[in-house]
């Protein structure tokens, strides 16, 4: 049985902080699920960390469906949230089609959309149709070409707008909201004013939960670590040195050993060679 929306709300009501992590494939979903992470986001950040793109803008719905399907297969307990990519929820009808694909074809239990008050009508309609929605405000990566990658809400006007965006997303029926790159006191204020949980990334410790990108957390995306990320492992280094040992063993002929190989008795092999010779002679 997967984590339910009710349980997600209870985490906040009981003051239990909520960990969320991104995952993009079967194996990582399995690891996150077995570690007891209750929320897995199939983020469109896969554009950068899996597909090598420079932003989330070119990520397609087909790609999201493909990766979300694998994450759903790899997890049993976590609630899987699929990101709706750029320009796939510009109006209510399009959003229903797009979210429908993530729910029906990929098996996601919820979708995430970026935007505040302007996205509220889309959220409201999806929720009315039984599609759980997570909101996302602050730095919204799909708008990177418009807003850059700065911390958002630093001025009084911008902060006020974000507070009212968060309230609009909640009023529209979202079950949780990501707050990305906000000053800690603003994120804490939003968290206190909302009933639903806030999930922070670069928004300080006052949020109801935190989300991190798999590759940042585990040191898989070696060239760049955003300021808001904490590396818990240097997997790139570990994998690199394992591959170096493997390549050396192959070159030296020390891999594979008998343990990774199958034997065959000499007589059978001799018999096979005699058969080949006979086949050759009948073909001549
Ligand atoms: O795409 C993503 O990974 C996200 C998280 C950073 C919240 O939207």
């Amino acid at each position: 049985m997967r984590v339910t929306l009710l349980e997600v709300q209870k985490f906040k009501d009981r003051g239990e902080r909520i960990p969320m992590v991104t995952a993009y494939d079967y194996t990582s979903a399995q690891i996150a699920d077995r570690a007891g992470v209750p929320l897995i986001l199939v983020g469109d950040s896969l554009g950068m960390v899996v597909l090598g793109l420079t932003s989330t803008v070119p990520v397609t719905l087909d790609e999201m469906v493909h990766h979300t399907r694998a994450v759903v297969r790899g997890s049993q307990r976590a609630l899987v949230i699929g990101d709706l990519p750029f320009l796939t929820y510009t109006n209510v009808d399009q959003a229903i089609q797009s979210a429908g694909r993530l729910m029906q074809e990929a098996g996601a239990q919820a979708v995430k959309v970026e935007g505040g008050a302007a996205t509220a009508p889309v959220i409201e309609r999806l929720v009315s149709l039984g599609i759980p929605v997570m909101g996302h405000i602050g730095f919204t990566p799909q708008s990177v070409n418009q807003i850059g990658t700065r911390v958002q809400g630093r001025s009084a006007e911008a902060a006020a707008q974000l507070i009212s965006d968060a309230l609009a997303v909640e009023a529209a029926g979202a079950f949780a909201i990501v707050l990305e790159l906000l000053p800690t006191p603003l994120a804490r204020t939003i968290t206190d004013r909302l009933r639903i949980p806030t999930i922070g990334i670069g928004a300080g410790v006052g949020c109801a939960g935190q989300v991190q990108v798999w590759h940042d957390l585990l040191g898989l995306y070696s060239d760049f670590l955003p300021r808001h990320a904490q590396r818990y492992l240097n997997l790139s280094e570990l994998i690199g040195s394992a591959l170096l040992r493997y390549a050396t063993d192959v070159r030296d002929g020390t891999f594979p050993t008998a343990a990774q190989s199958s034997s065959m008795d000499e007589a059978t092999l001799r018999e096979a060679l005699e058969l080949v010779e006979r086949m050759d002679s009948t073909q001549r």
Side-chain angles (χ1 to χ4, degrees), residues 175-197:
F175 72 95
I177 182 168
V178 169
L179 304 181
E180 182 160 358
L181 296 190
L182 295 192
T184 301
L186 176 58
R188 192 188 296 277
T189 301
I190 292 174
T191 303
D192 291 345
R193 292 206 170 199
L194 293 189
R195 185 187 53 83
I196 60 172

Side-chain angles (χ1 to χ4, degrees), residues 12 14 98 174 178 203 206 229 249 254 260 275 278 282-283:
K12 178 173 185 193
R14 291 197 294 252
S98 307
V178 169
D249 286 353
T254 48
Q260 293 93 29
L275 283 174
R278 250 180 275 146
T282 53
Q283 278 161 11

Side-chain angles (χ1 to χ4, degrees), residues 212-277:
Q212 287 283 293
V213 168
W214 183 267
H215 292 58
D216 294 341
L217 200 65
L218 301 174
L220 260 175
Y221 194 53
S222 55
D223 302 335
F224 171 70
L225 185 69
R227 185 172 155 239
H228 57 72
Q230 161 80 33
R231 195 169 273 176
Y232 282 79
L233 198 63
N234 194 338
L235 261 188
S236 289
E237 209 170 278
L238 289 175
I239 293 172
S241 72
L243 289 178
L244 205 68
R245 282 192 289 122
Y246 164 69
T248 305
D249 286 353
V250 170
R251 290 189 184 107
D252 292 352
T254 48
F255 176 86
T257 67
Q260 293 93 29
S261 316
S262 327
S263 61
M264 185 179 192
D265 66 75
E266 297 270 332
T268 310
L269 187 55
R270 250 196 323 275
E271 202 180 317
L273 289 172
E274 282 162 17
L275 283 174
V276 169
E277 256 173 50

Side-chain angles (χ1 to χ4, degrees), residues 63-128:
E63 285 162 346
M64 289 308 303
V65 168
H66 177 79
H67 287 272
T68 303
R69 201 182 267 148
V71 168
V72 170
R73 279 193 213 115
S75 57
Q76 292 178 339
R77 171 91 183 114
L79 182 85
V80 176
I81 303 136
D83 250 342
L84 284 183
F86 185 52
L87 297 184
T88 66
Y89 51 100
T90 58
N91 59 60
V92 164
D93 289 339
Q94 188 198 23
I96 295 169
Q97 295 288 323
S98 307
R101 287 198 60 200
L102 280 184
M103 304 283 290
Q104 293 186 303
E105 286 179 42
Q109 287 84 54
V111 300
K112 179 166 79 58
V113 296
E114 295 184 4
T119 316
V122 160
I123 298 176
E124 195 167 349
R125 185 71 180 122
L126 293 179
V127 172
S128 78

Side-chain angles (χ1 to χ4, degrees), residues 8-200:
V8 175
Q9 183 61 48
K10 279 191 182 152
F11 288 138
K12 178 173 185 193
D13 297 343
R14 291 197 294 252
E16 287 174 35
R17 290 201 176 85
I18 308 164
M20 174 160 108
V21 70
T22 68
Y24 313 101
D25 61 32
Y26 176 83
T27 309
S28 41
Q30 210 172 42
I31 297 169
D33 202 53
R34 287 177 184 171
V37 176
L39 301 180
I40 299 181
L41 171 68
V42 189
D44 57 359
S45 50
L46 70 84
M48 283 95 84
V49 299
V50 176
L51 304 177
L53 301 168
T54 52
S55 79
T56 61
V57 171
V59 174
T60 66
L61 188 57
D62 283 344
E63 285 162 346
M64 289 308 303
V65 168
H66 177 79
H67 287 272
T68 303
R69 201 182 267 148
V71 168
V72 170
R73 279 193 213 115
S75 57
Q76 292 178 339
R77 171 91 183 114
L79 182 85
V80 176
I81 303 136
D83 250 342
L84 284 183
F86 185 52
L87 297 184
T88 66
Y89 51 100
T90 58
N91 59 60
V92 164
D93 289 339
Q94 188 198 23
I96 295 169
Q97 295 288 323
S98 307
R101 287 198 60 200
L102 280 184
M103 304 283 290
Q104 293 186 303
E105 286 179 42
Q109 287 84 54
V111 300
K112 179 166 79 58
V113 296
E114 295 184 4
T119 316
V122 160
I123 298 176
E124 195 167 349
R125 185 71 180 122
L126 293 179
V127 172
S128 78
L129 291 170
I131 300 174
V133 179
M134 176 177 272
H136 184 162
I137 62 167
F139 169 63
T140 43
Q142 292 170 10
S143 307
V144 65
N145 291 307
Q146 210 160 37
I147 62 175
T149 52
R150 295 190 302 274
V151 171
Q152 302 292 303
R154 284 204 187 275
S155 70
E157 292 75 22
Q161 182 60 54
L162 284 164
I163 294 169
S164 95
D165 279 338
L167 290 167
V169 167
E170 175 174 88
F175 72 95
I177 182 168
V178 169
L179 304 181
E180 182 160 358
L181 296 190
L182 295 192
T184 301
L186 176 58
R188 192 188 296 277
T189 301
I190 292 174
T191 303
D192 291 345
R193 292 206 170 199
L194 293 189
R195 185 187 53 83
I196 60 172
T198 56
I199 309 289

